[in-house]
Amino acid sequence: MIVQINRLLNQFLKMSLVTSLLLLTACIDEEEEVSPVSNSDAAVQVKNLRLQEGTTKLAVGDSSQLVVNADYNNGTTKPLPKSGLIWRCEGFAVDISSSSEVSAVKAGESNCIVSFSMLQLAVDFVVAANDNPTSPGDGDTTSPSDVRKLRLGAGETSLKEGDTSQLVVNGVYADNSTTPIANSELVWQCDSPAVNISATSFLSAYKAGESICKVSWNALTLSVNFVVTASEVLPDFISTIPQGHLILPLATKQDIKLTGYFSNGTSESEPSDATLSCDTSNVSLDAENVLTTESVGQATCTATWKEKTAQLLVTVVDSAATQRKLSLASLDHLRYSNEDYSKFAAWVDRAVEGNPGYGFSPTDAVYMYYLTQDKKYIDLAIEDVEAQVVAAEAKMAEGDKPKTSFDSYLYVGGFISELAFTYDYGYELLSESQRTRWKNYAEQAIWNVWNHGEAEWAGNSFPWSGWATTNPGNNYHFSFLKATMTWGLASQNTTWLNLLNDDKLPKLVAYYEGFDKGGSREGTGYGVAQGKLFELYQIWKDTTGEDLSAKSVHSKETIDYWIHATTPPLEMFAPIGDQSRVSKPVLFDYHENLVQRAASLNVGTDEAKRGKWWLDNNSVDPIRYGFNLHTTLLQQELNQLEPTELVYHATSAGHLFVRSSWNSDATWLSAVAGIYDESHAHRDQGSFSLYKNDWLAVTQNIWSHSGIHQESEVHNMVRFVEEGETILQKRGTEATMDYTVNGAETVINMDLSGIYAAYDSVTSWKRDISFTANKVLVTDQCVVADSVSAIWQINVPLEPVINGDGSITAGNLLITPITPANPAVNVVNWFVENPAKFKEPRYKIELQGAGCNYQVQLDVLN
């Protein structure tokens, strides 16, 4: 027997069978008794069709009865009813009747496909020549010269789908007598696929419609009109998706889809006359066939459609929300209210549909599962985390380390927290093997964080620096704590929980208890990562009840920090420290995330109300990217309070902000002087930035390609040079700053001497800045060795013009040196200086006198 699947059939099978194996519930033929698949055995599925009886090698004139079997996955085999089979053949070597009897018509091959419901099987037939043909009509040859016309002598012209008929064409003589024409001499052509006529004039009605067929014999032709009417289409079976046996956690929702299949292979999705019912109160169904698990136990749900049935077994396991180790109590206000989170839901639904957006996290799917109890969300989270673990295992199998450890374990918090939330909320749906593999991976990652010198993966040594593992003020540290906290809680691993309770969290609390006025000494670029710190507070509070944020005022004060660090139009912020995401300090979703988290922890406070004002009025409206929408799920302050204070001094961060008013066209200034101890901070102690409607004076770093130029040359300060080299500000040193307000004037006093304590050549440097709406006066006094040159510098966005009186105009800023009155002036075009580092022409003005004292007036022209 020759059985092969051609390319077209193979493609069809891939599309129709691989994704969803078909469950056949009952197949009954009136002519022969066929045992149907039991409706109670909903897990039995058809594996394939197989030609059980009949020969595929014949001689002309032979016939053979074909029997097609269905093989099931439970090992049984049953013959299919002949009336349910549809045969289609390419080539005229054979004809196959509606009762699956094959007749060999002429020598050659026919490639046939038999269809039953949605399944197909390819069968090739080979017919050998026969010296004594016996086919109907193949008698003595009729003489063409005696025949006047052709006439249909036998055969049906009105048929139903699936009918067949043997056609006989007669030659009509002059005396109106007739004789059959040999079939082998006839040529048929039809104008539609309603019928097919073989080389032996055997007609098969395929589909409802009409076909005008022309038969030719020598120079004579005859047109015959065939009409095919639709045969009765009967319901075949009904299927549920999902099917078989479902295991669902308590308080979970699952959509049940019903599909009815007809005897002609067509189907109807969600037929209106189909019903679904379940036999116990362990589950409930709504009008849309959304199943909700109500109590632990089992239920049998039966789908019924046109007297056809299919069954689905549902087992409900105990996993009440109160048993979760990682609480999501901060989302409960959405579960019991009409608050709108449709934008976040659409973001996650897009991922469920197979098109996740950039930055999509499995944790987002866990949030939606918690809010809706819809199983499709936790299924997606499990799939994504499993992919993460598989990828890590593959790396380890190669003797390499997984992505979790990249960049000194910066991303460990994201990776492991995704795993922890999914492990906790999908625990009942994970196999024992998955639980073990996920656990081993998470445990190794966290152990490696806190044991950097002995870190390993799969027995291979991968020690690393241990960067920031002891620094609670560093953004890396937040990631380490997030991994340890989420997995420690999800797994209830006492080693990690004790490490947190006895060591890491007390040190974190102590650090921020002594941190006044909010913000971060990492600056505003990396300081925005404190949103992750506030997320840690929320996770710990939800799960343990302990509010770490309430142990200090840092989270509240950080709200005010960012309000004041924002320029008057509320679209940019003070560019302090590295700006690695984008060089230009434009407000982004991350800043919204940070303030939303801080405000959510402090609902009802004036700080949260001012945060609400800032969130509603800044340039980020709404949050732009889906991967940042998770903070919109948090409960927020509803009342606004517009800020009134014009000066804000973040004493522990060492940053000060002052503005002339809260109008969008106000003049605004930021200054830096404090503790210099973070790697992402710059050598900019003593520097300032000035803004009115746009930047008037600002660090050149914001127009660089990298945004991480830390050197003093790019900042607005006094730079000390010895033997041609800039004297570096040293990390681990401290400057001081305070201020006084006299009416419309704010005077900032800085002592930068401590920054240079390690150098004998710089004894002291003090800077005073007098700020008003239209004028800023900068006064510097310093004591340096004779070998040191003190260069007063200011970076400006527009090309400066030196005026005749010695003043300098740079856009809307007028720079007038007072002391010394006539300093040497040098203008640096940064783009010309180093085009590889700087994007476009921006400028620095350097003033240099004989001594170390400067006074420069900055007038705001607009």
Side-chain angles (χ1 to χ4, degrees):
M1 178 173 64
I2 301 174
V3 180
Q4 62 184 32
I5 299 178
N6 60 30
R7 289 183 181 176
L8 290 175
L9 178 58
N10 192 36
Q11 291 174 356
F12 176 84
L13 289 176
K14 285 182 179 179
M15 291 187 289
S16 63
L17 299 180
V18 172
T19 58
S20 177
L21 288 173
L22 192 61
L23 174 64
L24 298 177
T25 59
C27 306
I28 301 178
D29 189 292
E30 294 180 357
E31 299 174 347
E32 57 186 318
E33 184 176 348
V34 180
S35 300
V37 180
S38 170
N39 285 335
S40 64
D41 191 2
V44 177
Q45 297 172 333
V46 174
K47 292 169 57 180
N48 57 272
L49 302 182
R50 178 164 51 86
L51 186 64
Q52 178 64 21
E53 296 180 14
T55 181
T56 59
K57 293 183 178 180
L58 307 98
V60 173
D62 289 352
S63 63
S64 178
Q65 180 62 55
L66 305 176
V67 176
V68 177
N69 278 7
D71 293 334
Y72 297 88
N73 63 356
N74 64 355
T76 62
T77 298
K78 294 180 173 33
L80 293 174
K82 302 182 186 69
S83 60
L85 300 176
I86 298 174
W87 288 89
R88 291 180 175 84
C89 297
E90 293 182 1
F92 302 109
V94 300
D95 278 319
I96 303 178
S97 72
S98 59
S99 61
S100 295
E101 183 175 4
V102 60
S103 299
V105 177
K106 60 185 293 186
E109 294 187 9
S110 280
N111 306 114
C112 301
I113 294 176
V114 59
S115 303
F116 179 81
S117 220
M118 297 292 289
L119 301 177
Q120 292 191 338
L121 172 69
V123 183
D124 290 348
F125 295 92
V126 178
V127 178
N130 190 331
D131 293 334
N132 299 303
T134 59
S135 299
D138 284 345
D140 295 335
T141 303
T142 304
S143 172
S145 61
D146 297 330
V147 175
R148 298 292 183 262
K149 60 181 178 178
L150 302 178
R151 178 186 298 162
L152 187 64
E156 299 293 332
T157 58
S158 296
L159 309 98
K160 289 185 177 181
E161 288 178 328
D163 287 353
T164 59
S165 180
Q166 179 63 56
L167 304 178
V168 175
V169 176
N170 286 344
V172 182
Y173 296 92
D175 61 359
N176 210 34
S177 62
T178 62
T179 186
I181 306 296
N183 288 335
S184 60
E185 298 178 14
L186 298 173
V187 177
W188 286 91
Q189 289 184 322
C190 299
D191 66 355
S192 86
V195 300
N196 181 68
I197 302 176
S198 73
T200 60
S201 297
F202 188 82
L203 180 145
S204 299
Y206 278 156
K207 59 185 293 186
E210 291 188 24
S211 275
I212 298 175
C213 298
K214 184 170 70 174
V215 59
S216 302
W217 179 73
N218 291 309
L220 300 176
T221 62
L222 171 70
S223 292
V224 184
N225 188 31
F226 296 97
V227 178
V228 180
T229 58
S231 61
E232 184 180 6
V233 178
L234 300 174
D236 196 354
F237 64 94
I238 185 171
S239 176
T240 65
I241 300 176
Q243 58 186 228
H245 185 193
L246 280 181
I247 300 176
L248 298 175
L250 190 62
T252 296
K253 292 181 180 179
Q254 172 71 59
D255 289 341
I256 309 296
K257 301 297 184 185
L258 305 181
T259 303
Y261 293 89
F262 295 94
S263 58
N264 65 350
T266 62
S267 64
E268 180 182 357
S269 179
E270 300 294 336
S272 59
D273 55 346
T275 61
L276 183 67
S277 61
C278 301
D279 64 354
T280 73
S281 60
N282 298 115
V283 300
S284 61
L285 289 165
D286 68 10
E288 303 299 323
N289 287 337
V290 176
L291 181 148
T292 302
T293 56
E294 304 290 353
S295 59
V296 174
Q298 279 195 337
T300 299
C301 298
T302 303
T304 304
W305 172 67
K306 299 183 185 297
E307 300 183 353
K308 304 295 181 182
T309 60
Q311 290 186 330
L312 179 68
L313 181 63
V314 181
T315 299
V316 184
V317 295
D318 189 1
S319 61
T322 55
Q323 293 181 310
R324 298 301 183 191
K325 308 300 189 298
L326 275 168
S327 171
L328 288 173
S330 56
L331 305 184
D332 282 347
H333 67 104
L334 295 177
R335 299 180 74 187
Y336 308 114
S337 73
N338 294 321
E339 293 182 63
D340 180 24
Y341 59 91
S342 58
K343 190 173 182 181
F344 179 81
W347 160 253
V348 182
D349 285 341
R350 174 183 167 188
V352 170
E353 292 163 2
N355 186 30
Y358 171 79
F360 176 78
S361 168
T363 309
D364 294 340
V366 174
Y367 292 160
M368 280 299 294
Y369 176 57
Y370 182 75
L371 291 171
T372 67
Q373 296 88 52
D374 194 327
K375 182 173 172 285
K376 66 185 179 185
Y377 296 117
I378 195 63
D379 285 344
L380 174 63
I382 291 171
E383 179 184 340
D384 285 359
V385 172
E386 174 67 11
Q388 180 198 148
V389 176
V390 167
E393 290 170 336
K395 281 292 184 184
M396 287 185 275
E398 296 169 0
D400 203 351
K401 58 184 180 180
K403 289 173 64 176
T404 319
S405 64
F406 286 9
D407 196 358
S408 300
Y409 286 84
L410 174 61
Y411 308 108
V412 69
F415 282 125
I416 301 304
S417 65
E418 290 172 349
L419 181 150
F421 275 104
T422 305
Y423 179 92
D424 192 22
Y425 282 82
Y427 186 85
E428 301 80 14
L429 303 175
L430 297 175
S431 67
E432 284 296 332
S433 172
Q434 279 180 306
R435 292 171 191 163
T436 300
R437 290 169 44 245
W438 289 21
K439 178 180 179 180
N440 291 341
Y441 164 62
E443 288 285 340
Q444 189 64 62
I446 297 168
W447 193 90
N448 286 351
V449 166
W450 304 116
N451 299 273
H452 60 276
E454 292 80 39
E456 64 173 57
W457 290 101
N460 295 308
S461 179
F462 289 100
W464 66 287
S465 68
W467 169 256
T469 52
T470 59
N471 182 1
N474 190 281
N475 69 96
Y476 279 67
H477 198 76
F478 309 151
S479 180
F480 305 157
L481 291 182
K482 186 176 182 180
T484 309
M485 181 180 292
T486 53
W487 176 248
L489 291 169
S491 64
Q492 290 294 289
N493 184 317
T494 56
T495 298
W496 306 132
L497 294 178
N498 289 340
L499 177 69
L500 292 171
N501 282 308
D502 299 340
D503 183 20
K504 300 303 177 182
L505 295 184
K507 289 177 179 176
L508 183 78
V509 168
Y511 180 89
Y512 287 104
E513 278 180 333
F515 205 99
D516 293 330
K517 298 300 181 180
S520 167
R521 287 201 283 268
E522 289 194 284
T524 52
Y526 280 84
V528 76
Q530 287 186 335
K532 299 182 184 298
L533 169 67
F534 303 152
E535 182 184 16
L536 292 175
Y537 291 163
Q538 191 70 66
I539 293 169
W540 194 254
K541 179 181 178 182
D542 282 353
T543 304
T544 71
E546 182 182 14
D547 188 355
L548 299 175
S549 70
K551 296 180 182 294
S552 71
V553 293
H554 178 260
S555 64
K556 286 195 299 185
E557 291 181 338
T558 295
I559 299 172
D560 279 332
Y561 174 95
W562 277 99
I563 292 172
H564 286 269
T566 308
T567 58
L570 303 184
E571 60 185 10
M572 294 192 190
F573 56 89
I576 302 173
D578 285 346
Q579 307 293 322
S580 65
R581 185 181 66 84
V582 291
S583 301
K584 201 167 185 181
V586 180
L587 286 179
F588 182 62
D589 292 354
Y590 297 148
H591 306 90
E592 288 267 306
N593 291 159
L594 181 150
V595 174
Q596 283 178 331
R597 286 202 174 278
S600 182
L601 290 166
N602 295 283
V603 170
T605 65
D606 285 350
E607 290 86 353
K609 293 173 184 177
R610 287 192 288 269
K612 171 66 172 173
W613 172 86
W614 184 85
L615 289 166
D616 287 351
N617 289 280
N618 70 37
S619 61
V620 184
D621 185 27
I623 284 181
R624 302 168 200 174
Y625 294 95
F627 66 91
N628 290 313
L629 286 171
H630 54 276
T631 58
T632 64
L633 303 178
L634 298 170
Q635 189 167 16
Q636 293 293 325
E637 175 61 52
L638 300 179
N639 300 305
Q640 287 191 16
L641 182 62
E642 188 170 351
T644 57
E645 296 294 326
L646 300 178
V647 184
Y648 192 84
H649 183 197
T651 51
S652 291
H655 310 149
L656 185 144
F657 313 105
V658 57
R659 66 187 67 217
S660 59
S661 73
W662 282 98
N663 296 329
S664 62
D665 61 351
T667 305
W668 171 96
L669 181 141
S670 69
V672 177
I675 296 173
Y676 172 39
D677 64 352
E678 288 289 349
S679 64
H680 292 297
H682 287 191
R683 299 185 187 96
D684 63 345
Q685 296 292 312
S687 69
F688 67 91
S689 293
L690 185 62
Y691 186 103
K692 181 178 174 65
N693 298 321
D694 204 343
W695 295 109
L696 300 177
V698 66
T699 171
Q700 189 61 220
N701 186 52
I702 75 169
W703 289 301
S704 69
H705 288 287
S706 68
I708 57 173
H709 286 282
Q710 299 188 354
E711 56 270 22
S712 298
E713 282 82 351
V714 301
H715 294 286
N716 303 328
M717 55 187 291
V718 175
R719 179 166 56 93
F720 302 107
V721 178
E722 187 173 29
E723 296 181 357
E725 298 291 333
T726 298
I727 298 176
L728 301 180
Q729 296 186 346
K730 284 192 174 292
R731 196 175 300 145
T733 58
E734 182 176 354
T736 62
M737 176 168 55
D738 57 25
Y739 71 96
T740 57
V741 177
N742 302 308
E745 180 188 32
T746 299
V747 178
I748 304 167
N749 308 112
M750 304 185 217
D751 187 344
L752 292 311
S753 305
I755 298 296
Y756 297 94
Y759 301 99
D760 295 332
S761 54
V762 179
T763 303
S764 70
W765 171 31
K766 294 182 179 181
R767 163 169 277 191
D768 297 329
I769 300 176
S770 170
F771 171 88
T772 61
N774 299 314
K775 183 176 70 175
V776 175
L777 185 65
V778 183
T779 303
D780 291 285
Q781 295 180 323
C782 49
V783 177
V784 297
D786 292 341
S787 59
V788 175
S789 299
I791 302 172
W792 194 98
Q793 59 188 34
I794 186 169
N795 290 269
V796 294
L798 299 176
E799 185 172 8
V801 176
I802 302 175
N803 304 313
D805 61 357
S807 65
I808 304 165
T809 303
N812 289 319
L813 186 65
L814 178 64
I815 304 165
T816 304
I818 298 174
T819 304
N822 296 297
V825 179
N826 179 45
V827 175
V828 176
N829 182 332
W830 282 106
F831 184 69
V832 173
E833 186 82 6
N834 196 333
K837 292 183 177 180
F838 298 99
K839 298 179 180 180
E840 54 195 303
R842 304 289 179 174
Y843 303 88
K844 177 173 69 168
I845 302 165
E846 295 180 331
L847 308 179
Q848 187 170 357
C852 195
N853 295 327
Y854 292 92
Q855 188 171 64
V856 180
Q857 182 171 306
L858 308 176
D859 290 290
V860 180
L861 300 181
N862 64 342

